[in-house]
C-alpha cells in the first residue's frame, strides 16, 4: 500500500560535511535521479547535481547557506510533479524549523524506515545547548535583571528618594521594560552568537563556528577564573584576619 508522508522538526541542529553525506546516502541508496538545491542568505538559489558541488562551495558569511534540499525520484524529474523523497534542512536561527522530510507515493514500509532514520538522526545531532534558545530562558533573564536593578536602586538611593520612586508606578514599569527588552534583544543576540541555534558548518562557516567556540571557551574560563580568584582571595582574607 502506498501513501504520502510529511514531517517537520524544530530541534536546533548544525549540519557539517559528515552529517550531510549521511543524509544524502539515505536518498541515493534508494533513488537514482537525485539533485540538490541550496538557498543563500543574499537570496540566491542554486540547483546542483552532486553533493561534491555543495561541499566545494566556499560558503562565505555574506552568502552563507541558509537552506539546503536533497531531492530524489525513481523516474526522471520531467515526469514527476512531486519528487519521491525530499529532505530539506534549514538554518534555525532564521527559520522556525530545522528539517522537513517529505515522501510521495511511497510504500508504507519505506515511509516507516526512512522516517525512523530521520527521527533518530535529528535527535542525535541536536545541539546540547538547545534549551538556551527557549523563550522562558529570556523571561527568567529579564526577571533576574529586574531584581538586580531593584537592588542597585535600593542601595544607591536615599530613603526619601527611594520612597518617592517606589510610589511611582511608571518608574517600575519603565525599569521592567528596559530589563526585559535588554534580555529579549541584547542577551538573545549574544547567546545566538556564542551558541548558534542552527547552520551549515561547511566551507568558511567551519572557521566561523570554531571562532565562536573559542570565544565561548575564553568567556567561560574568564568567569570560572574570576570565581576561583574571588574564593581564594576570600579565604586568604579570612585566614589573615582570623
Amino acid at each position: 500500500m502506498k501513501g504520502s508522508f510529511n514531517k517537520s522538526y524544530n530541534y536546533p541542529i548544525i549540519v557539517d560535511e559528515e552529517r550531510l553525506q549521511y543524509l544524502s546516502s539515505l536518498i541515493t541508496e534508494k533513488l537514482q535521479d537525485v539533485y540538490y538545491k541550496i538557498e543563500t542568505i543574499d537570496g540566491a538559489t542554486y540547483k546542483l547535481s552532486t553533493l561534491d558541488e555543495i561541499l566545494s562551495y566556499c560558503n562565505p558569511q555574506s552568502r552563507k547557506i541558509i537552506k539546503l534540499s536533497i531531492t530524489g525520484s525513481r523516474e526522471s524529474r520531467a515526469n514527476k510533479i512531486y519528487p519521491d523523497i525530499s529532505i530539506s534542512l534549514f538554518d534555525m536561527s532564521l527559520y522556525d524549523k530545522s528539517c522537513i522530510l517529505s515522501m510521495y507515493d511511497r510504500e508504507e514500509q519505506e515511509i516507516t524506515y526512512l522516517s525512523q532514520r530521520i527521527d533518530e538522526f535529528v535527535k542525535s545531532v541536536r545541539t546540547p545547548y538547545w534549551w538556551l534558545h527557549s523563550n522562558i530562558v529570556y523571561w527568567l533573564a529579564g526577571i533576574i535583571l529586574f531584581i538586580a536593578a531593584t537592588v542597585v536602586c535600593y542601595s544607591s538611593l536615599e530613603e526619601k528618594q527611594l520612597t518617592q520612586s517606589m510610589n511611582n508606578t511608571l518608574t517600575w514599569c519603565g525599569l521592567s521594560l528596559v530589563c526585559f527588552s535588554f534580555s529579549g534583544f541584547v542577551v538573545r543576540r549574544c547567546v545566538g552568537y556564542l551558541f548558534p541555534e542552527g547552520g551549515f558548518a561547511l566551507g568558511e562557516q567551519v572557521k566561523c563556528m570554531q571562532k565562536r567556540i573559542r570565544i565561548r571557551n575564553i568567556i567561560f574560563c574568564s568567569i570560572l577564573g574570576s570565581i576561583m580568584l574571588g574564593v581564594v582571595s576570600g579565604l586568604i582574607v579570612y585566614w589573615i584576619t582570623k
Side-chain angles (χ1 to χ4, degrees):
M1 180 179 179
K2 293 187 176 182
S4 299
F5 179 86
N6 188 283
K7 184 176 181 179
S8 62
Y9 303 83
N10 59 358
Y11 296 116
I13 63 173
I14 295 177
V15 180
D16 57 16
E17 180 176 337
E18 182 180 355
R19 292 168 179 174
L20 189 56
Q21 288 174 335
Y22 171 79
L23 290 175
S24 179
S25 69
L26 293 180
I27 292 185
T28 54
E29 71 182 5
K30 297 285 184 181
L31 308 169
Q32 295 298 321
D33 188 14
V34 178
Y35 70 97
Y36 307 83
K37 185 171 76 171
I38 60 173
E39 294 182 18
T40 57
I41 197 169
D42 61 346
T45 301
Y46 305 94
K47 288 187 178 181
L48 307 169
S49 300
T50 65
L51 180 60
D52 289 338
E53 292 179 85
I54 295 178
L55 298 181
S56 63
Y57 178 63
C58 57
N59 202 24
Q61 184 66 23
S62 60
R63 292 182 289 113
K64 69 176 182 178
I65 299 171
I66 59 174
K67 180 182 177 182
L68 188 154
S69 300
I70 308 171
T71 304
S73 300
R74 292 190 187 279
E75 303 174 9
S76 172
R77 279 171 258 167
N79 300 325
K80 301 284 292 186
I81 298 177
Y82 298 106
D84 291 337
I85 301 174
S86 176
I87 301 174
S88 297
L89 304 168
F90 303 84
D91 183 340
M92 203 172 167
S93 62
L94 300 171
Y95 293 90
D96 61 353
K97 60 184 71 67
S98 59
C99 179
I100 294 179
L101 170 64
S102 301
M103 289 181 276
Y104 301 94
D105 196 28
R106 311 310 306 150
E107 296 290 344
E108 290 295 331
Q109 183 178 0
E110 185 177 5
I111 290 176
T112 301
Y113 168 78
L114 189 56
S115 63
Q116 287 179 347
R117 296 284 292 274
I118 297 298
D119 283 345
E120 294 169 357
F121 170 80
V122 173
K123 291 177 182 178
S124 66
V125 301
R126 178 173 61 176
T127 55
Y129 48 77
W130 59 269
W131 54 273
L132 281 174
H133 300 285
S134 174
N135 287 331
I136 193 172
V137 171
Y138 300 104
W139 280 103
L140 291 173
I143 293 172
I144 293 171
L145 287 172
F146 179 72
I147 294 174
T150 302
V151 171
V152 171
C153 288
Y154 267 95
S155 60
S156 61
L157 294 178
E158 296 180 359
E159 184 177 352
K160 184 177 180 180
Q161 293 175 319
L162 182 61
T163 302
Q164 292 175 347
S165 298
M166 290 181 65
N167 291 332
N168 190 342
T169 305
L170 290 177
T171 300
W172 295 109
C173 289
L175 182 61
S176 63
L177 180 62
V178 170
C179 291
F180 284 104
S181 297
F182 185 85
S183 175
F185 292 98
V186 179
V187 176
R188 185 185 289 270
R189 287 181 68 87
C190 291
V191 170
Y193 178 80
L194 295 174
F195 302 89
E197 193 170 3
F200 297 88
L202 306 169
E204 292 182 14
Q205 291 305 304
V206 174
K207 294 181 179 179
C208 290
M209 294 289 183
Q210 292 173 344
K211 179 182 178 181
R212 294 184 184 191
I213 293 173
R214 286 197 299 270
I215 294 174
R216 192 167 71 205
N217 291 339
I218 290 172
I219 292 174
F220 281 160
C221 290
S222 299
I223 293 174
L224 183 61
S226 299
I227 294 173
M228 293 180 65
L229 181 61
V231 171
V232 172
S233 300
L235 292 174
I236 292 175
V237 171
Y238 173 79
W239 180 76
I240 293 175
T241 57
K242 184 177 178 181

